[in-house]
Amino acid sequence: YRLLDQRKAGEAELLAGEKKWNQVVEAAPIGVFVCDGIASRRTYINPVLAKMLGCPQTFFTDDAWLDSVLVNDRSQVIALLAQSDTEAPVHLELRYQISEGKTGWARLIASQVFPASKNQTRWVGMVTDITEEKLTEAAMAEDWNSLEELVGKTTAELDRANRSLRKEIAARTEVATALRDTNSTLHALMQHVPDSVITVDRQGTVLFVNRGLQPCGRTVEIGSHFLRYLPKITHAWYRDALEKAFTDR
C-alpha cells in the first residue's frame, strides 16, 4: 500500500506540474511549442504561436515540425536541431508561412528536454515575431543604398563642377596676367613717349599722367580735378568735350 500511495502522490504531483506548465505557456506573451524531434510531430503550440501562424492550435497537432517554415530555411533548422547531444539552446532566425500566402520572420530559441521516447529528442521552443523588425531593417538598408547612390551622384557632380571651376579660374588667371602685362607695357610706353598723356574719368579726375607733363609750369597730381590746371575760360568747353567723349564711346 505504501508504494501505491507513493505512486499516486507522484502522479498527482506530475499532474499538478503539467497543469502549472499549461497555465504558464497558455498565458505567455510569446509563442511556445513542444516538438518530438525533427521528423516527428508537434505535440503542442500555445495560443500566441497559433495566432502568429494564423490558424487554430489544433491545426498543428498532426502536421510535421517544419511544415510552416519556408523551404529555403528548413535546411539550417534541420542541421541545428539534429544536434541531439547538445545542451546549449539553439538560436535561429527564419521565415515562416502565414495563412493566405503571407510570409513572416520569427526568432526561435529551442532547447532539448527529457526524451519523449528512447529514439526521439523532445524540444521546447520560444518564438518571437520579428517581421516588423526585418521590414524596418530592409527599409533602412534600401534607404541607405539610396543615400549612398545619391551621395555618389552628388560627389560626382561636385567633382565635375570643381574641375570646371578650376578651369575657369585658371582661364581667368591667365587673362588677368595677360592684362597686367599689357597694362604694364602700355604704362611704360606712355611714360616714355615725348608727348604729354593724361587720363581722366568722366568727372575729370586725373587717373594717370605721364612724364611729358612734368616740365610744365605746374605739376599735375593724380586724383586732382584737371580743370584746376586749365584757364577758366576753357572750363565749359572742356566739360562739354569730356561728356561727349564718354557719351560717344
Side-chain angles (χ1 to χ4, degrees):
Y1 292 104
R2 180 177 299 175
L3 292 176
L4 182 59
D5 290 340
Q6 291 178 347
R7 180 179 178 181
K8 288 182 178 181
E11 290 176 349
E13 185 177 353
L14 180 60
L15 290 174
E18 290 182 353
K19 183 178 180 180
K20 185 175 182 180
W21 156 264
N22 289 334
Q23 291 174 342
V24 170
V25 297
E26 287 286 316
I30 61 175
V32 178
F33 70 87
V34 179
C35 171
D36 290 337
I38 293 295
S40 185
R41 305 291 174 178
R42 292 186 181 89
T43 59
Y44 173 80
I45 64 171
N46 74 336
V48 172
L49 183 54
K51 183 178 180 180
M52 184 187 303
L53 299 175
C55 50
Q57 286 181 264
T58 56
F59 181 82
F60 290 103
T61 303
D62 296 324
D63 285 351
W65 157 235
L66 295 176
D67 285 353
S68 60
V69 179
L70 292 191
V71 176
N72 294 338
D73 293 348
R74 292 181 186 178
S75 58
Q76 64 168 329
V77 179
I78 294 174
L80 287 172
L81 296 185
Q83 304 173 24
S84 58
D85 57 344
T86 181
E87 295 182 358
V90 173
H91 296 258
L92 288 174
E93 288 187 359
L94 49 84
R95 291 166 293 176
Y96 66 93
Q97 192 69 40
I98 309 175
S99 60
E100 301 178 358
K102 297 180 181 179
T103 301
W105 276 90
R107 182 175 290 116
L108 180 148
I109 303 176
S111 299
Q112 293 179 5
V113 293
F114 55 87
S117 68
K118 294 181 180 179
N119 299 322
Q120 293 181 349
T121 300
R122 173 166 290 183
W123 291 86
V124 174
M126 295 178 292
V127 183
T128 305
D129 186 277
I130 58 172
T131 303
E132 289 298 324
E133 179 181 329
K134 288 294 184 179
L135 291 175
T136 301
E137 289 178 358
M140 291 178 64
E142 184 176 354
D143 290 344
W144 179 258
N145 291 335
S146 300
L147 180 60
E148 284 188 327
E149 183 179 355
L150 179 59
V151 169
K153 290 181 179 179
T154 304
T155 302
E157 291 175 359
L158 289 174
D159 185 59
R160 288 193 296 269
N162 187 49
R163 290 198 300 269
S164 177
L165 182 60
R166 287 178 180 273
K167 289 181 180 179
E168 184 177 350
I169 291 174
R172 291 189 178 187
T173 301
E174 184 178 353
V175 171
T177 301
L179 182 59
R180 284 196 301 270
D181 293 342
T182 300
N183 289 338
S184 297
T185 302
L186 180 60
H187 185 270
L189 179 63
M190 293 176 68
Q191 285 287 9
H192 292 86
V193 295
D195 297 325
S196 299
V197 178
I198 185 170
T199 303
V200 296
D201 61 13
R202 191 164 190 162
Q203 286 71 41
T205 303
V206 177
L207 303 178
F208 170 81
V209 58
N210 75 337
R211 298 174 183 175
L213 282 181
Q214 301 307 319
C216 296
R218 300 176 63 186
T219 301
V220 179
E221 298 177 357
I222 294 176
S224 62
H225 201 286
F226 191 60
L227 287 179
R228 63 185 289 190
Y229 306 106
L230 299 177
K232 289 185 179 181
I233 194 172
T234 64
H235 286 189
W237 171 85
Y238 176 78
R239 290 192 184 95
D240 293 340
L242 185 63
E243 182 65 25
K244 188 175 184 302
F246 278 96
T247 304
D248 292 345
R249 288 171 58 185

Short mmCIF file of all heavy atoms in Angstrom, two decimals, residues 173-226:
data_model
loop_
_atom_site.label_atom_id
_atom_site.label_comp_id
_atom_site.label_asym_id
_atom_site.label_seq_id
_atom_site.Cartn_x
_atom_site.Cartn_y
_atom_site.Cartn_z
N THR A 173 42.69 83.61 -64.52
CA THR A 173 44.02 83.99 -64.04
C THR A 173 44.95 84.29 -65.21
O THR A 173 45.74 85.26 -65.18
CB THR A 173 44.61 82.85 -63.18
OG1 THR A 173 43.74 82.59 -62.07
CG2 THR A 173 45.99 83.23 -62.67
N GLU A 174 44.83 83.46 -66.25
CA GLU A 174 45.65 83.68 -67.44
C GLU A 174 45.31 85.01 -68.10
O GLU A 174 46.20 85.77 -68.50
CB GLU A 174 45.44 82.52 -68.41
CG GLU A 174 46.32 82.59 -69.65
CD GLU A 174 46.12 81.40 -70.56
OE1 GLU A 174 45.39 80.46 -70.16
OE2 GLU A 174 46.69 81.40 -71.68
N VAL A 175 43.99 85.30 -68.20
CA VAL A 175 43.56 86.57 -68.80
C VAL A 175 44.03 87.76 -67.95
O VAL A 175 44.52 88.76 -68.47
CB VAL A 175 42.03 86.59 -68.95
CG1 VAL A 175 41.55 87.98 -69.35
CG2 VAL A 175 41.59 85.57 -69.99
N ALA A 176 43.89 87.62 -66.60
CA ALA A 176 44.31 88.69 -65.71
C ALA A 176 45.80 88.95 -65.81
O ALA A 176 46.26 90.11 -65.82
CB ALA A 176 43.92 88.36 -64.28
N THR A 177 46.57 87.87 -65.93
CA THR A 177 48.03 88.02 -66.06
C THR A 177 48.38 88.72 -67.37
O THR A 177 49.24 89.62 -67.40
CB THR A 177 48.69 86.63 -66.01
OG1 THR A 177 48.37 85.99 -64.76
CG2 THR A 177 50.20 86.75 -66.14
N ALA A 178 47.70 88.28 -68.43
CA ALA A 178 47.96 88.91 -69.73
C ALA A 178 47.57 90.39 -69.70
O ALA A 178 48.27 91.24 -70.27
CB ALA A 178 47.19 88.17 -70.82
N LEU A 179 46.45 90.69 -69.02
CA LEU A 179 46.00 92.08 -68.93
C LEU A 179 46.99 92.93 -68.13
O LEU A 179 47.30 94.06 -68.51
CB LEU A 179 44.62 92.13 -68.28
CG LEU A 179 43.97 93.51 -68.15
CD1 LEU A 179 43.81 94.15 -69.53
CD2 LEU A 179 42.62 93.41 -67.44
N ARG A 180 47.51 92.36 -67.04
CA ARG A 180 48.51 93.09 -66.26
C ARG A 180 49.77 93.35 -67.08
O ARG A 180 50.35 94.43 -67.03
CB ARG A 180 48.86 92.31 -64.98
CG ARG A 180 47.80 92.39 -63.90
CD ARG A 180 48.37 91.94 -62.57
NE ARG A 180 48.87 90.57 -62.63
CZ ARG A 180 48.13 89.50 -62.35
NH1 ARG A 180 46.85 89.65 -62.01
NH2 ARG A 180 48.65 88.30 -62.42
N ASP A 181 50.17 92.34 -67.84
CA ASP A 181 51.36 92.51 -68.68
C ASP A 181 51.13 93.59 -69.73
O ASP A 181 52.01 94.43 -69.99
CB ASP A 181 51.71 91.18 -69.36
CG ASP A 181 52.18 90.12 -68.37
OD1 ASP A 181 52.55 90.52 -67.24
OD2 ASP A 181 52.17 88.93 -68.72
N THR A 182 49.90 93.56 -70.31
CA THR A 182 49.58 94.57 -71.33
C THR A 182 49.56 95.98 -70.71
O THR A 182 50.09 96.94 -71.30
CB THR A 182 48.21 94.25 -71.97
OG1 THR A 182 48.26 92.96 -72.57
CG2 THR A 182 47.85 95.28 -73.02
N ASN A 183 48.93 96.08 -69.55
CA ASN A 183 48.86 97.38 -68.87
C ASN A 183 50.25 97.89 -68.50
O ASN A 183 50.56 99.10 -68.60
CB ASN A 183 47.99 97.29 -67.62
CG ASN A 183 46.52 97.15 -67.96
OD1 ASN A 183 46.11 97.51 -69.07
ND2 ASN A 183 45.73 96.64 -67.04
N SER A 184 51.10 96.95 -68.05
CA SER A 184 52.47 97.36 -67.68
C SER A 184 53.22 97.87 -68.91
O SER A 184 53.94 98.88 -68.85
CB SER A 184 53.22 96.17 -67.07
OG SER A 184 52.59 95.76 -65.86
N THR A 185 53.04 97.14 -70.02
CA THR A 185 53.71 97.56 -71.26
C THR A 185 53.19 98.92 -71.74
O THR A 185 53.97 99.81 -72.13
CB THR A 185 53.48 96.50 -72.35
OG1 THR A 185 53.98 95.24 -71.91
CG2 THR A 185 54.19 96.90 -73.65
N LEU A 186 51.87 99.08 -71.69
CA LEU A 186 51.27 100.34 -72.11
C LEU A 186 51.70 101.49 -71.21
O LEU A 186 52.00 102.60 -71.69
CB LEU A 186 49.74 100.20 -72.10
CG LEU A 186 48.95 101.44 -72.52
CD1 LEU A 186 49.30 101.83 -73.96
CD2 LEU A 186 47.45 101.19 -72.38
N HIS A 187 51.74 101.20 -69.90
CA HIS A 187 52.15 102.24 -68.95
C HIS A 187 53.59 102.67 -69.22
O HIS A 187 53.92 103.88 -69.23
CB HIS A 187 52.03 101.70 -67.53
CG HIS A 187 52.32 102.72 -66.47
ND1 HIS A 187 53.59 102.91 -65.97
CD2 HIS A 187 51.52 103.62 -65.82
CE1 HIS A 187 53.57 103.86 -65.07
NE2 HIS A 187 52.32 104.31 -64.95
N ALA A 188 54.46 101.68 -69.45
CA ALA A 188 55.87 102.01 -69.73
C ALA A 188 56.00 102.80 -71.04
O ALA A 188 56.79 103.76 -71.14
CB ALA A 188 56.69 100.73 -69.81
N LEU A 189 55.19 102.40 -72.02
CA LEU A 189 55.23 103.10 -73.31
C LEU A 189 54.77 104.54 -73.16
O LEU A 189 55.39 105.48 -73.69
CB LEU A 189 54.36 102.35 -74.32
CG LEU A 189 54.26 102.96 -75.73
CD1 LEU A 189 55.64 102.97 -76.39
CD2 LEU A 189 53.27 102.17 -76.57
N MET A 190 53.67 104.72 -72.42
CA MET A 190 53.11 106.07 -72.26
C MET A 190 54.04 106.96 -71.43
O MET A 190 54.05 108.19 -71.59
CB MET A 190 51.73 106.00 -71.62
CG MET A 190 50.70 105.33 -72.52
SD MET A 190 49.10 105.15 -71.71
CE MET A 190 48.58 106.85 -71.55
N GLN A 191 54.79 106.37 -70.54
CA GLN A 191 55.71 107.16 -69.73
C GLN A 191 56.87 107.72 -70.55
O GLN A 191 57.45 108.76 -70.19
CB GLN A 191 56.27 106.30 -68.58
CG GLN A 191 55.29 106.05 -67.46
CD GLN A 191 55.06 107.29 -66.60
OE1 GLN A 191 55.51 108.40 -66.92
NE2 GLN A 191 54.32 107.13 -65.51
N HIS A 192 57.19 107.04 -71.64
CA HIS A 192 58.39 107.44 -72.38
C HIS A 192 58.08 108.11 -73.71
O HIS A 192 59.02 108.46 -74.46
CB HIS A 192 59.28 106.22 -72.62
CG HIS A 192 59.89 105.68 -71.36
ND1 HIS A 192 59.25 104.77 -70.56
CD2 HIS A 192 61.08 105.96 -70.75
CE1 HIS A 192 60.00 104.47 -69.51
NE2 HIS A 192 61.13 105.19 -69.61
N VAL A 193 56.81 108.27 -74.03
CA VAL A 193 56.52 108.99 -75.28
C VAL A 193 56.84 110.47 -75.06
O VAL A 193 56.73 110.99 -73.94
CB VAL A 193 55.03 108.82 -75.68
CG1 VAL A 193 54.73 107.38 -76.02
CG2 VAL A 193 54.11 109.33 -74.60
N PRO A 194 57.27 111.17 -76.11
CA PRO A 194 57.64 112.58 -75.95
C PRO A 194 56.46 113.51 -75.73
O PRO A 194 56.64 114.63 -75.24
CB PRO A 194 58.37 112.90 -77.26
CG PRO A 194 57.81 111.92 -78.24
CD PRO A 194 57.53 110.67 -77.46
N ASP A 195 55.27 113.06 -76.09
CA ASP A 195 54.08 113.89 -75.93
C ASP A 195 53.52 113.75 -74.52
O ASP A 195 53.81 112.80 -73.79
CB ASP A 195 53.00 113.49 -76.94
CG ASP A 195 53.47 113.70 -78.38
OD1 ASP A 195 54.20 114.68 -78.60
OD2 ASP A 195 53.10 112.87 -79.23
N SER A 196 52.68 114.75 -74.18
CA SER A 196 52.01 114.71 -72.87
C SER A 196 50.78 113.82 -72.97
O SER A 196 49.96 113.96 -73.89
CB SER A 196 51.62 116.12 -72.45
OG SER A 196 52.76 116.95 -72.31
N VAL A 197 50.62 112.91 -71.98
CA VAL A 197 49.48 111.99 -71.96
C VAL A 197 48.84 112.06 -70.58
O VAL A 197 49.54 111.96 -69.55
CB VAL A 197 49.90 110.54 -72.26
CG1 VAL A 197 48.69 109.62 -72.18
CG2 VAL A 197 50.54 110.45 -73.63
N ILE A 198 47.53 112.25 -70.57
CA ILE A 198 46.81 112.30 -69.29
C ILE A 198 45.51 111.53 -69.44
O ILE A 198 44.87 111.55 -70.50
CB ILE A 198 46.53 113.76 -68.88
CG1 ILE A 198 45.89 113.77 -67.48
CG2 ILE A 198 45.67 114.47 -69.89
CD1 ILE A 198 45.80 115.15 -66.90
N THR A 199 45.12 110.83 -68.39
CA THR A 199 43.88 110.04 -68.40
C THR A 199 43.00 110.54 -67.26
O THR A 199 43.46 110.70 -66.12
CB THR A 199 44.16 108.54 -68.19
OG1 THR A 199 45.05 108.11 -69.21
CG2 THR A 199 42.87 107.75 -68.29
N VAL A 200 41.72 110.82 -67.60
CA VAL A 200 40.77 111.28 -66.59
C VAL A 200 39.51 110.41 -66.67
O VAL A 200 39.26 109.76 -67.68
CB VAL A 200 40.39 112.76 -66.81
CG1 VAL A 200 41.60 113.65 -66.65
CG2 VAL A 200 39.74 112.97 -68.17
N ASP A 201 38.71 110.43 -65.57
CA ASP A 201 37.44 109.73 -65.62
C ASP A 201 36.36 110.69 -66.09
O ASP A 201 36.64 111.82 -66.51
CB ASP A 201 37.09 109.13 -64.26
CG ASP A 201 36.95 110.17 -63.16
OD1 ASP A 201 36.87 111.37 -63.50
OD2 ASP A 201 36.95 109.80 -61.97
N ARG A 202 35.10 110.27 -66.04
CA ARG A 202 34.01 111.07 -66.58
C ARG A 202 33.82 112.38 -65.82
O ARG A 202 33.33 113.37 -66.35
CB ARG A 202 32.71 110.25 -66.53
CG ARG A 202 31.57 110.87 -67.32
CD ARG A 202 30.49 109.87 -67.56
NE ARG A 202 29.49 110.36 -68.50
CZ ARG A 202 28.63 109.61 -69.15
NH1 ARG A 202 28.66 108.28 -68.96
NH2 ARG A 202 27.75 110.13 -69.97
N GLN A 203 34.21 112.39 -64.55
CA GLN A 203 34.09 113.61 -63.75
C GLN A 203 35.29 114.54 -63.92
O GLN A 203 35.32 115.65 -63.37
CB GLN A 203 33.93 113.26 -62.27
CG GLN A 203 32.56 112.72 -61.91
CD GLN A 203 32.34 111.33 -62.46
OE1 GLN A 203 33.25 110.50 -62.43
NE2 GLN A 203 31.14 111.08 -62.99
N GLY A 204 36.33 114.11 -64.66
CA GLY A 204 37.51 114.95 -64.88
C GLY A 204 38.61 114.73 -63.87
O GLY A 204 39.60 115.47 -63.84
N THR A 205 38.48 113.70 -63.04
CA THR A 205 39.52 113.40 -62.06
C THR A 205 40.70 112.75 -62.76
O THR A 205 40.53 111.81 -63.56
CB THR A 205 38.98 112.45 -60.97
OG1 THR A 205 37.83 113.05 -60.36
CG2 THR A 205 40.04 112.19 -59.91
N VAL A 206 41.89 113.18 -62.44
CA VAL A 206 43.09 112.66 -63.08
C VAL A 206 43.40 111.26 -62.57
O VAL A 206 43.51 111.03 -61.36
CB VAL A 206 44.29 113.59 -62.81
CG1 VAL A 206 45.56 113.01 -63.43
CG2 VAL A 206 44.01 114.98 -63.34
N LEU A 207 43.53 110.31 -63.52
CA LEU A 207 43.85 108.93 -63.18
C LEU A 207 45.29 108.58 -63.51
O LEU A 207 45.88 107.72 -62.86
CB LEU A 207 42.90 107.98 -63.94
CG LEU A 207 41.40 108.19 -63.71
CD1 LEU A 207 40.60 107.22 -64.57
CD2 LEU A 207 41.05 108.01 -62.24
N PHE A 208 45.83 109.20 -64.55
CA PHE A 208 47.21 108.91 -64.96
C PHE A 208 47.77 110.13 -65.66
O PHE A 208 47.07 110.83 -66.40
CB PHE A 208 47.23 107.72 -65.92
CG PHE A 208 48.57 107.50 -66.57
CD1 PHE A 208 49.59 106.85 -65.90
CD2 PHE A 208 48.81 107.98 -67.86
CE1 PHE A 208 50.83 106.67 -66.50
CE2 PHE A 208 50.05 107.80 -68.45
CZ PHE A 208 51.05 107.14 -67.77
N VAL A 209 49.04 110.36 -65.44
CA VAL A 209 49.74 111.43 -66.15
C VAL A 209 51.18 110.97 -66.38
O VAL A 209 51.82 110.39 -65.50
CB VAL A 209 49.72 112.75 -65.33
CG1 VAL A 209 50.36 112.57 -63.97
CG2 VAL A 209 50.41 113.86 -66.10
N ASN A 210 51.64 111.14 -67.61
CA ASN A 210 53.00 110.68 -67.90
C ASN A 210 54.01 111.77 -67.63
O ASN A 210 53.67 112.91 -67.25
CB ASN A 210 53.09 110.17 -69.34
CG ASN A 210 53.10 111.31 -70.36
OD1 ASN A 210 52.62 112.40 -70.06
ND2 ASN A 210 53.62 111.06 -71.55
N ARG A 211 55.23 111.45 -67.84
CA ARG A 211 56.30 112.39 -67.51
C ARG A 211 56.33 113.59 -68.45
O ARG A 211 56.99 114.58 -68.17
CB ARG A 211 57.65 111.66 -67.57
CG ARG A 211 57.75 110.53 -66.56
CD ARG A 211 59.03 109.76 -66.76
NE ARG A 211 59.10 108.62 -65.84
CZ ARG A 211 60.10 107.71 -65.86
NH1 ARG A 211 61.05 107.83 -66.77
NH2 ARG A 211 60.10 106.72 -65.00
N GLY A 212 55.62 113.46 -69.55
CA GLY A 212 55.65 114.55 -70.53
C GLY A 212 55.06 115.84 -69.99
O GLY A 212 55.37 116.91 -70.50
N LEU A 213 54.19 115.73 -68.96
CA LEU A 213 53.59 116.94 -68.40
C LEU A 213 54.43 117.53 -67.26
O LEU A 213 54.14 118.62 -66.78
CB LEU A 213 52.17 116.66 -67.89
CG LEU A 213 51.09 116.57 -68.96
CD1 LEU A 213 49.75 116.31 -68.31
CD2 LEU A 213 51.02 117.87 -69.77
N GLN A 214 55.40 116.80 -66.78
CA GLN A 214 56.17 117.28 -65.65
C GLN A 214 56.96 118.56 -65.91
O GLN A 214 57.10 119.41 -65.03
CB GLN A 214 57.12 116.17 -65.16
CG GLN A 214 56.41 114.90 -64.73
CD GLN A 214 55.32 115.16 -63.72
OE1 GLN A 214 55.51 115.96 -62.80
NE2 GLN A 214 54.18 114.49 -63.89
N PRO A 215 57.48 118.77 -67.13
CA PRO A 215 58.22 120.01 -67.36
C PRO A 215 57.34 121.26 -67.39
O PRO A 215 57.83 122.38 -67.42
CB PRO A 215 58.86 119.79 -68.75
CG PRO A 215 58.91 118.30 -68.91
CD PRO A 215 57.65 117.82 -68.24
N CYS A 216 56.02 121.11 -67.38
CA CYS A 216 55.12 122.27 -67.40
C CYS A 216 55.34 123.10 -66.13
O CYS A 216 55.95 122.66 -65.15
CB CYS A 216 53.68 121.82 -67.50
SG CYS A 216 53.33 120.96 -69.04
N GLY A 217 54.75 124.25 -66.16
CA GLY A 217 54.90 125.14 -65.03
C GLY A 217 54.29 124.58 -63.76
O GLY A 217 54.75 124.87 -62.65
N ARG A 218 53.25 123.76 -63.85
CA ARG A 218 52.58 123.18 -62.67
C ARG A 218 52.60 121.66 -62.77
O ARG A 218 52.39 121.08 -63.84
CB ARG A 218 51.14 123.68 -62.60
CG ARG A 218 51.04 125.19 -62.48
CD ARG A 218 49.61 125.64 -62.52
NE ARG A 218 48.87 125.09 -61.37
CZ ARG A 218 47.55 125.24 -61.23
NH1 ARG A 218 46.85 125.90 -62.15
NH2 ARG A 218 46.95 124.75 -60.17
N THR A 219 52.77 121.02 -61.66
CA THR A 219 52.78 119.55 -61.62
C THR A 219 51.35 119.04 -61.51
O THR A 219 50.60 119.46 -60.63
CB THR A 219 53.60 119.03 -60.43
OG1 THR A 219 54.93 119.53 -60.54
CG2 THR A 219 53.59 117.52 -60.39
N VAL A 220 50.96 118.16 -62.42
CA VAL A 220 49.62 117.56 -62.40
C VAL A 220 49.62 116.39 -61.43
O VAL A 220 50.44 115.47 -61.54
CB VAL A 220 49.20 117.10 -63.81
CG1 VAL A 220 47.82 116.45 -63.77
CG2 VAL A 220 49.22 118.28 -64.78
N GLU A 221 48.71 116.45 -60.46
CA GLU A 221 48.65 115.41 -59.43
C GLU A 221 47.52 114.42 -59.73
O GLU A 221 46.40 114.83 -60.09
CB GLU A 221 48.43 116.04 -58.06
CG GLU A 221 49.54 116.97 -57.63
CD GLU A 221 49.24 117.62 -56.30
OE1 GLU A 221 48.13 117.37 -55.76
OE2 GLU A 221 50.10 118.37 -55.79
N ILE A 222 47.83 113.17 -59.59
CA ILE A 222 46.81 112.12 -59.76
C ILE A 222 45.79 112.24 -58.64
O ILE A 222 46.14 112.41 -57.47
CB ILE A 222 47.45 110.73 -59.76
CG1 ILE A 222 48.36 110.56 -60.99
CG2 ILE A 222 46.39 109.62 -59.73
CD1 ILE A 222 49.10 109.25 -61.04
N GLY A 223 44.51 112.22 -59.00
CA GLY A 223 43.44 112.36 -58.03
C GLY A 223 42.85 113.75 -57.97
O GLY A 223 41.79 113.96 -57.39
N SER A 224 43.56 114.70 -58.58
CA SER A 224 43.04 116.07 -58.61
C SER A 224 42.12 116.26 -59.82
O SER A 224 42.08 115.41 -60.72
CB SER A 224 44.20 117.06 -58.69
OG SER A 224 44.94 116.87 -59.90
N HIS A 225 41.37 117.36 -59.84
CA HIS A 225 40.50 117.64 -60.98
C HIS A 225 41.29 118.43 -62.03
O HIS A 225 41.99 119.40 -61.71
CB HIS A 225 39.26 118.43 -60.54
CG HIS A 225 38.14 118.33 -61.49
ND1 HIS A 225 38.13 119.00 -62.71
CD2 HIS A 225 36.97 117.63 -61.45
CE1 HIS A 225 37.01 118.72 -63.36
NE2 HIS A 225 36.29 117.89 -62.62
N PHE A 226 41.16 117.98 -63.27
CA PHE A 226 42.01 118.56 -64.31
C PHE A 226 41.67 120.02 -64.61
O PHE A 226 42.48 120.75 -65.15
CB PHE A 226 41.89 117.73 -65.60
CG PHE A 226 42.91 118.07 -66.63
CD1 PHE A 226 44.28 117.94 -66.36
CD2 PHE A 226 42.54 118.58 -67.88
CE1 PHE A 226 45.22 118.27 -67.31
CE2 PHE A 226 43.50 118.91 -68.83
CZ PHE A 226 44.84 118.77 -68.55
#
